[in-house]
Amino acid sequence: MAAATFSAAGRRLLSTAAAAAEKTELPVPIAQLRSLARAGRLADIDAALAPLVPSHAVAALSALSSVGLPDRASALLGTVASPTAAHLNAVVGPLLRRRRLAALVPSILEAHASVPRDASTDSILAKSLCLTSGGADSALHLLREPPSGSPPSLQLFTVLIDSFYKQRLPHRAEELWRAMVHDHGITPDAAAYNARITYKAANGTVDEVRELIRAMREEAGLEPDAITYNALMRAMARHGRVDEAVDVYRGVEAGEVAGVAPDCATYTCVVGALCGAGRWSEAEDVFYEGVKRRKVADLGTVRALVRGLKDAGKGRAARRVVVGLRKKFPVQFDGPWRELEEAAGLAATGKEEDGEEDGAEEHQATAAA
């Protein structure tokens, strides 16, 4: 599914640098370009982007990398007159979404050595090394000699701290945190705190997560964002406190937290927690709340929902989920997402059997017995 609508299963959190590199707009829908790329219609992609390059060069570069065409993006960058760090970051930032493509970042940067770098470039390079070269240790040298020539930035420290946490080396992460604050005088932002909070959500207690959120608010003067609340809900779900996770979700969904709205990760967490508790009807309701916002849980979670509904005798509801996704997101419903059709029992007919009520499977089994 398109990244703006569906969260990809197993996707790592992107660094703030990568996110910043992709905050561009393009008149051509990215889903259309992705569909053309999958079909190998590269000439059509060139034709669609060519008239836009003079006015939307950064967005065009980002789009090519986002749909898995970094070579084309790199070649286009070579034609830009007086390219800036924003152009370069647009090429390499989106590559962090896939480990295979992230490995290309150093060579692309080397190929465009004359293009200026900035703090975001440093962070993107660091993230690529962390993803593909054995973790944060492979990128620590960037703190001493950032390619941009600028002092180490908050973004760079955050990428490395986050990587140490992902390696389950919290002591190394905390050492780097102290070096960032005390040795370099850098004030952590919400993204830096979220690296800590996300780690505790997966490895600590709910109280530990709440304490970090308290420190974030009261000591740093920062407001929690969607990533913060998602981490809190994941911690609650991990400890079987599903009702509390749902309560937090309801507050976010109702707009009770200023500036925070549910995202794909929110629905992945809450729908997954309800599925894990066997609360299929509630999980289905939350799933549809996400669809209304054009935010859908990741593939693994939707698969669990579909299979769970079917096994619970709610076959029609399971098929309705898949048919609804297929109708609402016809372009994005492709690749591994089509496996949901078979999971819902739609492979043979390709459409929902409207005449069959929920629970029919159970009734048929009972009658046969």
Side-chain angles (χ1 to χ4, degrees):
M1 294 293 180
T5 305
F6 286 78
S7 54
R11 176 180 297 162
R12 289 177 177 267
L13 289 175
L14 296 179
S15 68
T16 53
E22 295 185 66
K23 287 183 179 177
T24 53
E25 295 182 358
L26 194 67
V28 180
I30 192 69
Q32 178 182 336
L33 296 177
R34 184 173 285 107
S35 179
L36 291 172
R38 285 174 177 166
R41 296 167 58 182
L42 303 183
D44 289 339
I45 292 177
D46 292 341
L49 293 180
L52 305 174
V53 171
S55 57
H56 296 79
V58 171
L61 292 165
S62 178
L64 285 170
S65 284
S66 295
V67 300
L69 298 173
D71 290 346
R72 251 175 164 69
S74 181
L76 179 60
L77 176 60
T79 70
V80 175
S82 303
T84 66
H87 293 95
L88 182 61
N89 295 341
V91 174
V92 294
L95 303 183
L96 300 181
R97 292 187 179 278
R98 304 179 197 171
R99 185 185 298 269
R100 175 178 59 84
L101 296 180
L104 301 176
V105 170
S107 61
I108 291 176
L109 292 179
E110 184 177 353
H112 298 280
S114 62
V115 179
R117 272 76 164 145
D118 63 10
S120 289
T121 318
D122 296 338
S123 301
I124 292 169
L125 175 58
K127 186 69 172 179
S128 74
L129 294 174
C130 290
L131 288 172
T132 62
S133 301
D137 281 316
S138 65
L140 283 177
H141 67 280
L142 297 178
L143 290 175
R144 299 187 297 273
E145 299 177 355
S148 66
S150 305
S153 67
L154 170 60
Q155 286 181 330
L156 179 55
F157 270 105
T158 301
V159 165
L160 297 173
I161 289 169
D162 182 57
S163 182
F164 275 131
Y165 277 129
K166 283 183 168 64
Q167 292 174 254
R168 300 197 175 211
L169 296 173
H171 61 289
R172 298 287 303 279
E174 290 299 317
E175 286 174 2
L176 205 53
W177 181 284
R178 288 190 291 271
M180 174 179 71
V181 174
H182 299 300
D183 299 342
H184 292 266
I186 296 175
T187 302
D189 62 0
Y193 270 94
N194 282 335
R196 277 177 146 181
I197 291 168
T198 299
Y199 172 77
K200 281 298 181 184
N203 300 278
T205 66
V206 174
D207 288 342
E208 287 175 320
V209 173
R210 287 191 181 279
E211 173 57 23
L212 286 173
I213 294 175
R214 183 205 64 76
M216 180 180 181
R217 274 198 175 107
E218 298 178 10
E219 297 175 15
L222 298 168
E223 285 301 317
D225 58 16
I227 294 174
T228 316
Y229 285 103
N230 290 342
L232 177 59
M233 286 183 278
R234 282 197 301 273
M236 291 171 169
R238 189 169 66 86
H239 288 281
R241 295 159 64 169
V242 178
D243 286 337
E244 292 179 59
V246 172
D247 286 344
V248 173
Y249 160 72
R250 289 297 173 199
V252 173
E253 200 273 337
E256 295 175 5
V257 184
V260 178
D263 59 14
C264 293
T266 308
Y267 293 104
T268 295
C269 172
V270 180
V271 173
L274 290 168
C275 287
R279 294 159 61 169
W280 303 111
S281 294
E282 291 175 78
E284 184 186 8
D285 289 343
V286 173
F287 167 80
Y288 282 117
E289 289 167 7
V291 170
K292 289 178 183 178
R293 291 179 176 266
R294 297 188 66 83
K295 307 290 184 184
V296 180
D298 67 20
L299 176 57
T301 301
V302 179
R303 186 188 292 114
L305 173 62
V306 169
R307 289 176 175 170
L309 287 169
K310 194 168 185 296
D311 292 344
K314 299 177 179 292
R316 187 178 181 187
R319 290 188 287 278
R320 192 164 55 236
V321 166
V322 179
V323 172
L325 287 177
R326 192 169 57 195
K327 288 180 178 178
K328 194 169 186 66
F329 308 101
V331 176
Q332 298 94 335
F333 194 87
D334 200 359
W337 285 85
R338 299 198 70 89
E339 297 171 9
L340 293 175
E341 294 174 323
E342 183 176 357
L346 285 165
T349 63
K351 60 183 180 180
E352 181 181 7
E353 298 175 18
D354 293 330
E356 183 176 310
E357 298 295 333
D358 286 348
E361 291 95 334
E362 291 183 359
H363 299 322
Q364 292 170 359
T366 302

